[in-house]
Amino acid sequence: MRQAPWRICALAGAVALIALALVVTMTRPSGEPHDEAGSRQPGGVGESPATPLPTGPDEAPRTVPAVRSFDAAPGPGWAPADSTRVVTDPDGSLTDEADRLADELSVDRADEDAGPGDIELVLDDDADCGAEGYRLRTDDQRVTITAETDAGAFYGTVTLTQAVRGQGGIAQGTVEDRPDRPQRGLSLDIARKHYDAEWIEARLREMAELKLNQLQLHFSDDQGFRIESESHPEIVSDDHLTKDQVTDIIRLAQSLHIDVIPEIDSPGHLGVVTEAHPDLQLRETDGSATPGAIDIANPDSAEIVDDLLREYAELFPSDYLHLGGDEYAALYKSDPDASYPELAEAARERFGDGAGVTDLATGWLNDRADVAREAGKIPQVWNDGMHAGGEVQPDQEREVTYWTGREIGAREPVEYLEGGWPLVNMNSEYLYYVLGEPNQFTYPTGERIYQEWTPDVVRGSEPVPEEFRDAEHVPGGRFAVWGDIADAQTQDEVAAGITGPLRAVAQKLWDPAEPELEWAEFSQLADRVTAS
C-alpha cells in the first residue's frame, strides 16, 4: 500500500533519531554518573576518578622535622585532587586523625574502598614502626599511612600535610619515619608570668606541627599559683586558669598527642604557700624568713603539698608528675645545720645521728615521690634536688630533668646515669629562655641549637659518654621558658622568640644526626610548611 509522502519523511526521521541515540549510548560507559548538563562526573566509591589525577613532585619530601628515610620509586607520585578522600575504618581509632587531615587538606572523608587519589590511614600492630613511627607509601596515585599507634598515624598525617604545603604533594615512594627520643617538648613557667588559655592552646598547635609531644606546666612559684584549687583556694593568684580551662587545654593536647605534665615545685619556690600560711615559713635562728622556702620539719608543710599533688594528679591524666626539688635556699648556706638547727634536729630524729639538713631535703623529695607513685605517676625532679652523699639517697624510681651544673655540689650528668637515673635534657646552656635575661642568661637561638646541640649534650656543650647516648638513658628533652622578669616580654613576643628554638629542638629530638639543610634553608622551609 502506498504511503503518503509526509509519513515516509516522518518514519525516516524517527529511524535517524533512534540511530543517533544508539550511537550516544554506545559511546558512554554503562552506569556512569552525570550532571544535569551531561558532563562527566567523578566515579563512585572506590572507582577511578573520571578526570586525570594531578601528579606529585619528583623530589623527596621536605618537612620539619625531616623524615628519617625516603625510598624513591618510579611513578607519578600523589597530589590532592577534587576527588581526593581521606579513608579509614569507621570502627577504628583513627577517625579523629582522618577528620583532622581532611579538614587540613579541604577534602572529603570516607569510611571504605580507598581508590586512586585517596589517602588511607591504617593501624597495624605488626607494622614494625615503633610507638610513634609510621610508614607513608605513595603508589598508584594514592597514599597509605600505616602505623602501630594513633600517635604514629597522626605524625604521618603531619608529614603529608607539610609536603602538600611545601611541594604540592608527595613523590612516589615510601617514607619510614620515627622519633629518636620519646620525650620531646616545651616547659612553660606560667607561675611567674600568667599566660591565657588561648595562648597556651596556640602553642600546643605549634608543637603538634613539629611533632613535639610534651608540655610541662610549672604553675606554682614564689610569684604566683596559677591553676584553680579546691583543696587550697587561699593560695591561688587572681590571674589563673580555671580547672575547666585546664581541662580544655588537656583535651586539645590529647587530640594532638601531647602529654601535659603538671609541676608543683617544693620545698623551694613556695612563696605563695608561705604567704598564705606564714606558720609554714622556714626561718633562720634570728627569725628572719628564708624566701620561698617551706619548713620541711613541720608535718603541716608535707600535708599541704601532698594535698596539692593529689589534687592535680587527678586533674592531669599524664603519666608524669614533676615534683621540682630545685633551689632549696636552706642548702645554699655554708653550714645549713648551723643556720637551721631545727631542721638538723629533725633530720637526726628521723635518719640517725649522722644526718643533716641535706638528708632531710632528700627525704622530703622521696616522700613526695611516694605520693606521686601512689597516684599512678612517674616522678620527675630537677637535678639539683638530687643530693649526693649523706645518710639518705634519692630513690631509684624517678626521672631527672637535668638543667644546671651551677648548684652547690654540682655533679656531671654521667654520675646520674651511672646511678641508674634517666636524664631528660633541659640543658640551660641551650634550652633556657629566661625572660629579661638575668643571671647571665641570654635568649637562645634556634641556629645555635640546630648546629651544636643534641639530646646527648646534657650539660655545657659536650655529650655524655657514648654508652649513654640513647633513649634509654636520655629519653629526650624540653625547651624551657622561664618568667624571671615577667614583664620583659609580652605573650606575643615570647611566642615569636621561641619559634626558631622550638623548630630546632624538634629537629634534633626527632633525629640527632647532623641536619642535611643549613639553618637558613631549614628556617625558610619551616616558614613554608608549618601553619604557625
Side-chain angles (χ1 to χ4, degrees):
M1 177 176 162
R2 186 178 180 184
Q3 303 293 322
W6 68 269
R7 290 181 181 272
I8 294 172
C9 292
L11 180 60
V15 169
L17 287 172
I18 291 170
L20 178 61
L22 286 171
V23 170
V24 172
T25 301
M26 291 175 66
T27 58
R28 202 177 269 154
S30 175
E32 183 180 356
H34 298 77
D35 65 8
E36 294 178 358
S39 62
R40 183 172 177 174
Q41 298 297 302
V45 173
E47 297 178 8
S48 297
T51 55
L53 290 168
T55 58
D58 295 329
E59 303 85 6
R62 293 285 195 182
T63 61
V64 176
V67 299
R68 302 293 293 275
S69 74
F70 175 67
D71 184 13
W78 175 91
D82 290 342
S83 61
T84 294
R85 303 167 305 146
V86 180
V87 181
T88 197
D89 180 358
D91 298 320
S93 61
L94 295 181
T95 54
D96 288 345
E97 281 69 29
D99 290 343
R100 183 181 298 278
L101 179 60
D103 287 343
E104 289 281 356
L105 299 181
S106 299
V107 300
D108 290 334
R109 271 277 287 114
D111 293 334
E112 58 185 2
D113 298 328
D118 291 340
I119 307 157
E120 186 172 18
L121 308 185
V122 179
L123 275 188
D124 182 355
D125 292 340
D126 298 321
D128 192 29
C129 294
E132 295 178 285
Y134 64 92
R135 181 177 301 110
L136 190 157
R137 186 181 182 204
T138 307
D139 192 26
D140 292 331
Q141 291 188 282
R142 64 185 272 188
V143 174
T144 305
I145 297 172
T146 305
E148 295 179 38
T149 66
D150 294 6
F154 174 73
Y155 294 136
T157 69
V158 172
T159 291
L160 184 61
T161 300
Q162 289 194 7
V164 170
R165 289 182 189 140
Q167 297 165 283
I170 195 162
Q172 187 94 351
T174 302
V175 171
E176 297 274 359
D177 202 16
R178 67 180 71 191
D180 189 75
R181 306 296 161 113
Q183 297 192 44
R184 310 178 305 280
L186 169 66
S187 178
L188 184 62
D189 173 10
I190 65 172
R192 285 178 276 196
K193 182 178 181 65
H194 174 64
Y195 296 89
D196 60 48
E198 292 76 16
W199 190 92
I200 295 172
E201 290 174 351
R203 301 289 72 70
L204 289 171
R205 295 185 182 93
E206 180 180 2
M207 292 168 63
E209 290 270 351
L210 300 171
K211 301 188 176 91
L212 297 172
N213 67 355
Q214 288 182 336
L215 174 65
Q216 177 181 336
L217 291 180
H218 174 93
F219 62 90
S220 67
D221 212 306
D222 299 339
Q223 294 82 1
F225 193 98
R226 302 293 181 179
I227 295 179
E228 174 188 358
S229 172
E230 293 163 2
S231 66
H232 291 282
E234 72 280 0
I235 69 173
V236 178
S237 302
D238 290 340
D239 291 328
H240 66 272
L241 300 173
T242 68
K243 284 192 173 181
D244 285 344
Q245 288 175 314
V246 172
T247 298
D248 288 343
I249 288 168
I250 292 170
R251 186 180 296 113
L252 173 62
Q254 289 177 322
S255 75
L256 300 172
H257 300 279
I258 296 171
D259 185 24
V260 185
I261 301 171
E263 180 193 346
I264 300 175
D265 203 348
S266 78
H269 297 283
L270 286 174
V272 290
V273 172
T274 57
E275 183 178 353
H277 297 273
D279 55 312
L280 304 182
Q281 174 73 62
L282 179 65
R283 298 185 181 277
E284 297 188 44
T285 53
D286 62 2
S288 60
T290 303
I294 204 167
D295 181 359
I296 58 176
N298 187 336
D300 292 340
S301 297
E303 182 177 351
I304 191 171
V305 171
D306 290 349
D307 286 345
L308 296 169
L309 290 174
R310 294 186 181 102
E311 179 177 7
Y312 295 105
E314 184 175 346
L315 177 64
F316 289 82
S318 173
D319 289 337
Y320 296 99
L321 180 56
H322 204 295
L323 306 173
D326 63 311
E327 298 180 327
Y328 188 48
L331 300 179
Y332 288 1
K333 300 291 185 179
S334 59
D335 188 347
D337 290 5
S339 297
Y340 301 98
E342 292 183 2
L343 294 185
E345 177 60 27
R348 289 190 292 271
E349 289 178 1
R350 182 174 178 186
F351 300 116
D353 290 343
V357 175
T358 300
D359 296 295
L360 196 65
T362 298
W364 168 276
L365 211 54
N366 284 349
D367 291 343
R368 308 293 77 75
D370 286 341
V371 172
R373 285 188 287 267
E374 289 166 5
K377 309 295 187 181
I378 300 169
Q380 289 188 338
V381 304
W382 296 111
N383 66 287
D384 50 334
M386 301 277 290
H387 308 297
E391 302 296 316
V392 183
Q393 295 300 306
D395 55 42
Q396 285 295 133
E397 299 175 37
R398 65 175 67 177
E399 294 181 356
V400 178
T401 48
Y402 193 103
W403 73 279
T404 185
R406 303 179 181 185
E407 76 275 17
I408 297 172
R411 291 184 286 162
E412 293 287 341
V414 68
E415 293 190 37
Y416 299 89
L417 295 167
E418 289 175 343
W421 290 289
L423 295 183
V424 179
N425 189 331
M426 297 184 70
N427 184 341
S428 61
E429 176 73 17
Y430 293 93
L431 306 181
Y432 261 39
Y433 192 95
V434 184
L435 298 190
E437 301 182 303
N439 302 318
Q440 298 181 316
F441 283 109
T442 58
Y443 293 128
T445 66
E447 183 173 10
R448 185 164 181 244
I449 295 167
Y450 188 77
Q451 292 176 343
E452 300 178 13
W453 181 82
T454 76
D456 298 314
V457 178
V458 179
R459 174 179 173 180
S461 57
E462 295 298 321
V464 297
E466 191 166 353
E467 62 266 32
F468 298 116
R469 298 177 195 175
D470 55 39
E472 177 184 358
H473 296 96
V474 185
R478 295 196 278 273
F479 185 80
V481 179
W482 295 104
D484 290 41
I485 304 175
D487 295 334
Q489 289 190 340
T490 65
Q491 288 188 147
D492 289 344
E493 287 171 334
V494 173
I498 67 176
T499 295
L502 274 183
R503 292 169 173 177
V505 167
Q507 173 61 47
K508 302 302 279 290
L509 287 169
W510 194 265
D511 186 353
E514 183 176 349
E516 178 183 347
L517 299 179
E518 296 295 328
W519 171 250
E521 296 176 287
F522 177 83
S523 296
Q524 292 167 4
L525 173 65
D527 288 340
R528 290 197 305 273
V529 302
T530 63
S532 55

Short mmCIF file of all heavy atoms in Angstrom, two decimals, residues 371-414:
data_model
loop_
_atom_site.label_atom_id
_atom_site.label_comp_id
_atom_site.label_asym_id
_atom_site.label_seq_id
_atom_site.Cartn_x
_atom_site.Cartn_y
_atom_site.Cartn_z
N VAL A 371 54.13 9.81 97.07
CA VAL A 371 52.78 10.30 96.82
C VAL A 371 52.47 10.23 95.33
O VAL A 371 51.38 9.82 94.91
CB VAL A 371 52.60 11.74 97.35
CG1 VAL A 371 51.26 12.32 96.92
CG2 VAL A 371 52.72 11.75 98.88
N ALA A 372 53.44 10.63 94.51
CA ALA A 372 53.24 10.60 93.05
C ALA A 372 53.01 9.16 92.58
O ALA A 372 52.09 8.90 91.78
CB ALA A 372 54.45 11.22 92.35
N ARG A 373 53.82 8.25 93.06
CA ARG A 373 53.66 6.86 92.62
C ARG A 373 52.33 6.27 93.10
O ARG A 373 51.69 5.49 92.38
CB ARG A 373 54.84 6.03 93.10
CG ARG A 373 56.12 6.29 92.28
CD ARG A 373 57.22 5.32 92.67
NE ARG A 373 57.77 5.64 93.98
CZ ARG A 373 58.83 6.42 94.16
NH1 ARG A 373 59.45 6.97 93.12
NH2 ARG A 373 59.28 6.67 95.38
N GLU A 374 51.92 6.63 94.31
CA GLU A 374 50.62 6.17 94.80
C GLU A 374 49.48 6.66 93.92
O GLU A 374 48.44 6.01 93.81
CB GLU A 374 50.42 6.63 96.25
CG GLU A 374 51.29 5.91 97.26
CD GLU A 374 51.30 6.61 98.61
OE1 GLU A 374 50.56 7.62 98.77
OE2 GLU A 374 52.07 6.19 99.50
N ALA A 375 49.69 7.81 93.29
CA ALA A 375 48.68 8.36 92.37
C ALA A 375 48.83 7.80 90.96
O ALA A 375 48.13 8.24 90.05
CB ALA A 375 48.79 9.88 92.35
N GLY A 376 49.73 6.85 90.78
CA GLY A 376 49.93 6.24 89.48
C GLY A 376 50.83 7.01 88.54
O GLY A 376 50.79 6.79 87.32
N LYS A 377 51.66 7.90 89.09
CA LYS A 377 52.52 8.76 88.27
C LYS A 377 53.99 8.35 88.37
O LYS A 377 54.42 7.79 89.39
CB LYS A 377 52.38 10.22 88.69
CG LYS A 377 50.95 10.74 88.77
CD LYS A 377 50.27 10.77 87.42
CE LYS A 377 48.92 11.45 87.52
NZ LYS A 377 48.20 11.47 86.21
N ILE A 378 54.74 8.68 87.32
CA ILE A 378 56.19 8.56 87.35
C ILE A 378 56.74 9.90 87.83
O ILE A 378 56.51 10.93 87.19
CB ILE A 378 56.74 8.23 85.96
CG1 ILE A 378 56.18 6.91 85.45
CG2 ILE A 378 58.27 8.22 85.97
CD1 ILE A 378 56.47 6.65 83.98
N PRO A 379 57.47 9.93 88.95
CA PRO A 379 58.01 11.22 89.42
C PRO A 379 59.15 11.71 88.54
O PRO A 379 59.99 10.93 88.08
CB PRO A 379 58.54 10.89 90.83
CG PRO A 379 58.01 9.53 91.16
CD PRO A 379 57.77 8.83 89.88
N GLN A 380 59.15 13.02 88.30
CA GLN A 380 60.31 13.68 87.73
C GLN A 380 60.75 14.77 88.69
O GLN A 380 59.91 15.37 89.38
CB GLN A 380 59.98 14.28 86.35
CG GLN A 380 59.78 13.25 85.26
CD GLN A 380 59.66 13.85 83.86
OE1 GLN A 380 59.33 15.03 83.70
NE2 GLN A 380 59.93 13.06 82.84
N VAL A 381 62.07 14.99 88.77
CA VAL A 381 62.63 16.00 89.68
C VAL A 381 63.77 16.72 88.97
O VAL A 381 64.37 16.19 88.03
CB VAL A 381 63.14 15.37 91.00
CG1 VAL A 381 62.05 14.57 91.68
CG2 VAL A 381 64.37 14.48 90.76
N TRP A 382 64.08 17.94 89.46
CA TRP A 382 65.24 18.66 88.94
C TRP A 382 66.51 18.06 89.50
O TRP A 382 66.55 17.56 90.62
CB TRP A 382 65.15 20.14 89.32
CG TRP A 382 63.98 20.85 88.70
CD1 TRP A 382 62.88 21.33 89.34
CD2 TRP A 382 63.82 21.17 87.32
NE1 TRP A 382 62.02 21.93 88.44
CE2 TRP A 382 62.58 21.85 87.19
CE3 TRP A 382 64.60 20.96 86.17
CZ2 TRP A 382 62.10 22.30 85.96
CZ3 TRP A 382 64.12 21.42 84.94
CH2 TRP A 382 62.88 22.08 84.85
N ASN A 383 67.60 18.17 88.72
CA ASN A 383 68.83 17.52 89.14
C ASN A 383 69.40 18.10 90.43
O ASN A 383 70.05 17.38 91.21
CB ASN A 383 69.90 17.57 88.04
CG ASN A 383 70.39 18.96 87.72
OD1 ASN A 383 69.68 19.75 87.12
ND2 ASN A 383 71.62 19.29 88.12
N ASP A 384 69.16 19.40 90.72
CA ASP A 384 69.69 19.95 91.96
C ASP A 384 68.80 19.63 93.16
O ASP A 384 69.04 20.13 94.26
CB ASP A 384 69.97 21.45 91.86
CG ASP A 384 68.81 22.25 91.31
OD1 ASP A 384 67.99 21.69 90.57
OD2 ASP A 384 68.74 23.46 91.60
N GLY A 385 67.82 18.75 92.97
CA GLY A 385 67.11 18.15 94.09
C GLY A 385 67.65 16.77 94.42
O GLY A 385 67.13 16.08 95.31
N MET A 386 68.69 16.35 93.70
CA MET A 386 69.33 15.04 93.89
C MET A 386 70.66 15.26 94.60
O MET A 386 71.64 15.67 93.98
CB MET A 386 69.55 14.37 92.54
CG MET A 386 68.28 14.15 91.74
SD MET A 386 67.41 12.66 92.23
CE MET A 386 68.53 11.40 91.63
N HIS A 387 70.68 15.01 95.90
CA HIS A 387 71.84 15.36 96.71
C HIS A 387 72.73 14.14 96.93
O HIS A 387 72.27 13.08 97.34
CB HIS A 387 71.39 15.95 98.04
CG HIS A 387 70.40 17.07 97.88
ND1 HIS A 387 70.71 18.25 97.25
CD2 HIS A 387 69.10 17.17 98.25
CE1 HIS A 387 69.67 19.05 97.24
NE2 HIS A 387 68.66 18.41 97.83
N ALA A 388 74.03 14.33 96.66
CA ALA A 388 74.98 13.24 96.79
C ALA A 388 75.44 13.08 98.24
O ALA A 388 75.41 14.03 99.02
CB ALA A 388 76.18 13.49 95.89
N GLY A 389 75.91 11.89 98.56
CA GLY A 389 76.44 11.65 99.89
C GLY A 389 75.34 11.59 100.94
O GLY A 389 74.15 11.51 100.63
N GLY A 390 75.73 11.69 102.21
CA GLY A 390 74.75 11.73 103.28
C GLY A 390 74.21 10.37 103.66
O GLY A 390 74.60 9.33 103.14
N GLU A 391 73.27 10.40 104.58
CA GLU A 391 72.66 9.18 105.11
C GLU A 391 71.49 8.70 104.25
O GLU A 391 71.12 7.53 104.29
CB GLU A 391 72.16 9.43 106.54
CG GLU A 391 73.24 9.88 107.51
CD GLU A 391 74.29 8.81 107.71
OE1 GLU A 391 73.92 7.63 107.87
OE2 GLU A 391 75.50 9.16 107.69
N VAL A 392 70.89 9.60 103.51
CA VAL A 392 69.69 9.28 102.73
C VAL A 392 69.98 9.48 101.25
O VAL A 392 70.57 10.50 100.87
CB VAL A 392 68.50 10.17 103.15
CG1 VAL A 392 67.23 9.78 102.39
CG2 VAL A 392 68.27 10.08 104.65
N GLN A 393 69.58 8.51 100.44
CA GLN A 393 69.79 8.58 99.00
C GLN A 393 68.46 8.78 98.27
O GLN A 393 67.42 8.31 98.72
CB GLN A 393 70.46 7.30 98.49
CG GLN A 393 71.85 7.08 99.04
CD GLN A 393 72.79 8.22 98.68
OE1 GLN A 393 72.94 8.56 97.51
NE2 GLN A 393 73.42 8.81 99.68
N PRO A 394 68.47 9.50 97.15
CA PRO A 394 67.25 9.61 96.34
C PRO A 394 66.80 8.23 95.89
O PRO A 394 67.63 7.37 95.55
CB PRO A 394 67.69 10.47 95.15
CG PRO A 394 68.93 11.17 95.60
CD PRO A 394 69.61 10.24 96.55
N ASP A 395 65.49 8.01 95.89
CA ASP A 395 65.01 6.70 95.45
C ASP A 395 65.23 6.54 93.95
O ASP A 395 65.44 7.51 93.21
CB ASP A 395 63.54 6.48 95.83
CG ASP A 395 62.62 7.58 95.34
OD1 ASP A 395 62.79 8.03 94.20
OD2 ASP A 395 61.73 7.99 96.10
N GLN A 396 65.17 5.30 93.49
CA GLN A 396 65.54 4.99 92.12
C GLN A 396 64.42 5.24 91.12
O GLN A 396 64.68 5.52 89.95
CB GLN A 396 65.97 3.51 92.02
CG GLN A 396 67.35 3.24 92.59
CD GLN A 396 68.44 3.94 91.80
OE1 GLN A 396 69.32 4.58 92.37
NE2 GLN A 396 68.41 3.84 90.49
N GLU A 397 63.19 5.10 91.53
CA GLU A 397 62.08 5.10 90.59
C GLU A 397 61.64 6.53 90.27
O GLU A 397 60.57 6.98 90.66
CB GLU A 397 60.91 4.29 91.15
CG GLU A 397 61.26 2.83 91.41
CD GLU A 397 60.11 2.09 92.08
OE1 GLU A 397 58.95 2.38 91.74
OE2 GLU A 397 60.39 1.25 92.93
N ARG A 398 62.49 7.21 89.54
CA ARG A 398 62.21 8.59 89.13
C ARG A 398 63.04 8.92 87.91
O ARG A 398 64.01 8.23 87.59
CB ARG A 398 62.52 9.58 90.25
CG ARG A 398 64.01 9.62 90.61
CD ARG A 398 64.34 10.68 91.64
NE ARG A 398 63.77 10.41 92.95
CZ ARG A 398 63.99 11.17 94.02
NH1 ARG A 398 64.75 12.25 93.92
NH2 ARG A 398 63.46 10.87 95.19
N GLU A 399 62.66 10.00 87.22
CA GLU A 399 63.47 10.54 86.15
C GLU A 399 63.96 11.92 86.58
O GLU A 399 63.28 12.62 87.33
CB GLU A 399 62.66 10.65 84.86
CG GLU A 399 62.26 9.30 84.29
CD GLU A 399 61.47 9.41 83.00
OE1 GLU A 399 61.15 10.54 82.58
OE2 GLU A 399 61.17 8.35 82.42
N VAL A 400 65.13 12.29 86.09
CA VAL A 400 65.76 13.55 86.48
C VAL A 400 65.79 14.49 85.30
O VAL A 400 66.30 14.14 84.22
CB VAL A 400 67.19 13.30 86.99
CG1 VAL A 400 67.86 14.62 87.36
CG2 VAL A 400 67.18 12.35 88.20
N THR A 401 65.20 15.67 85.47
CA THR A 401 65.32 16.71 84.45
C THR A 401 66.58 17.52 84.76
O THR A 401 66.63 18.25 85.75
CB THR A 401 64.07 17.61 84.40
OG1 THR A 401 63.73 18.03 85.72
CG2 THR A 401 62.88 16.85 83.83
N TYR A 402 67.58 17.36 83.92
CA TYR A 402 68.89 17.97 84.17
C TYR A 402 68.97 19.32 83.48
O TYR A 402 68.87 19.43 82.27
CB TYR A 402 70.01 17.06 83.65
CG TYR A 402 71.37 17.48 84.16
CD1 TYR A 402 71.99 16.79 85.19
CD2 TYR A 402 72.02 18.58 83.62
CE1 TYR A 402 73.24 17.19 85.66
CE2 TYR A 402 73.25 18.99 84.09
CZ TYR A 402 73.86 18.29 85.11
OH TYR A 402 75.08 18.68 85.59
N TRP A 403 69.18 20.37 84.30
CA TRP A 403 69.20 21.72 83.73
C TRP A 403 70.49 22.49 84.02
O TRP A 403 70.82 23.42 83.29
CB TRP A 403 68.01 22.54 84.25
CG TRP A 403 68.11 22.98 85.69
CD1 TRP A 403 67.82 22.23 86.80
CD2 TRP A 403 68.49 24.26 86.17
NE1 TRP A 403 68.01 22.96 87.94
CE2 TRP A 403 68.42 24.22 87.59
CE3 TRP A 403 68.88 25.46 85.56
CZ2 TRP A 403 68.72 25.32 88.39
CZ3 TRP A 403 69.19 26.56 86.35
CH2 TRP A 403 69.11 26.48 87.76
N THR A 404 71.20 22.13 85.08
CA THR A 404 72.29 23.01 85.52
C THR A 404 73.47 22.22 86.05
O THR A 404 73.34 21.08 86.49
CB THR A 404 71.80 23.96 86.61
OG1 THR A 404 72.84 24.88 86.95
CG2 THR A 404 71.41 23.22 87.87
N GLY A 405 74.61 22.88 85.99
CA GLY A 405 75.78 22.41 86.70
C GLY A 405 76.29 23.49 87.63
O GLY A 405 77.44 23.51 88.04
N ARG A 406 75.39 24.43 87.98
CA ARG A 406 75.77 25.58 88.78
C ARG A 406 75.52 25.37 90.27
O ARG A 406 75.93 26.19 91.09
CB ARG A 406 74.98 26.81 88.34
CG ARG A 406 75.12 27.18 86.88
CD ARG A 406 74.26 28.40 86.55
NE ARG A 406 74.34 28.79 85.15
CZ ARG A 406 73.77 29.87 84.65
NH1 ARG A 406 73.07 30.68 85.43
NH2 ARG A 406 73.88 30.16 83.37
N GLU A 407 74.80 24.31 90.63
CA GLU A 407 74.38 24.16 92.02
C GLU A 407 75.54 23.79 92.94
O GLU A 407 76.58 23.30 92.48
CB GLU A 407 73.26 23.11 92.12
CG GLU A 407 73.72 21.66 92.03
CD GLU A 407 73.85 21.15 90.60
OE1 GLU A 407 73.91 21.99 89.67
OE2 GLU A 407 73.94 19.92 90.42
N ILE A 408 75.34 24.00 94.24
CA ILE A 408 76.33 23.57 95.23
C ILE A 408 76.47 22.05 95.13
O ILE A 408 75.48 21.32 95.10
CB ILE A 408 75.89 23.99 96.64
CG1 ILE A 408 75.83 25.53 96.73
CG2 ILE A 408 76.81 23.41 97.69
CD1 ILE A 408 75.22 26.03 98.02
N GLY A 409 77.71 21.60 95.09
CA GLY A 409 77.94 20.16 94.96
C GLY A 409 77.56 19.63 93.59
O GLY A 409 77.16 18.47 93.47
N ALA A 410 77.67 20.48 92.57
CA ALA A 410 77.25 20.09 91.22
C ALA A 410 77.94 18.81 90.77
O ALA A 410 79.12 18.59 91.03
CB ALA A 410 77.57 21.22 90.25
N ARG A 411 77.16 17.99 90.07
CA ARG A 411 77.68 16.71 89.56
C ARG A 411 77.47 16.63 88.06
O ARG A 411 76.48 17.13 87.53
CB ARG A 411 76.97 15.55 90.25
CG ARG A 411 77.32 15.41 91.72
CD ARG A 411 76.65 14.19 92.31
NE ARG A 411 75.22 14.37 92.51
CZ ARG A 411 74.35 13.37 92.68
NH1 ARG A 411 74.78 12.13 92.62
NH2 ARG A 411 73.08 13.63 92.89
N GLU A 412 78.41 15.97 87.41
CA GLU A 412 78.30 15.76 85.98
C GLU A 412 77.12 14.82 85.67
O GLU A 412 76.79 13.95 86.49
CB GLU A 412 79.59 15.14 85.43
CG GLU A 412 80.80 16.06 85.50
CD GLU A 412 80.74 17.18 84.48
OE1 GLU A 412 79.97 17.04 83.49
OE2 GLU A 412 81.45 18.19 84.66
N PRO A 413 76.52 14.98 84.50
CA PRO A 413 75.41 14.09 84.14
C PRO A 413 75.75 12.61 84.25
O PRO A 413 74.89 11.79 84.61
CB PRO A 413 75.10 14.49 82.69
CG PRO A 413 75.53 15.91 82.60
CD PRO A 413 76.74 16.02 83.49
N VAL A 414 76.99 12.26 83.95
CA VAL A 414 77.34 10.84 83.95
C VAL A 414 77.14 10.21 85.33
O VAL A 414 76.85 9.00 85.44
CB VAL A 414 78.80 10.65 83.45
CG1 VAL A 414 79.80 11.22 84.45
CG2 VAL A 414 79.08 9.19 83.16
#
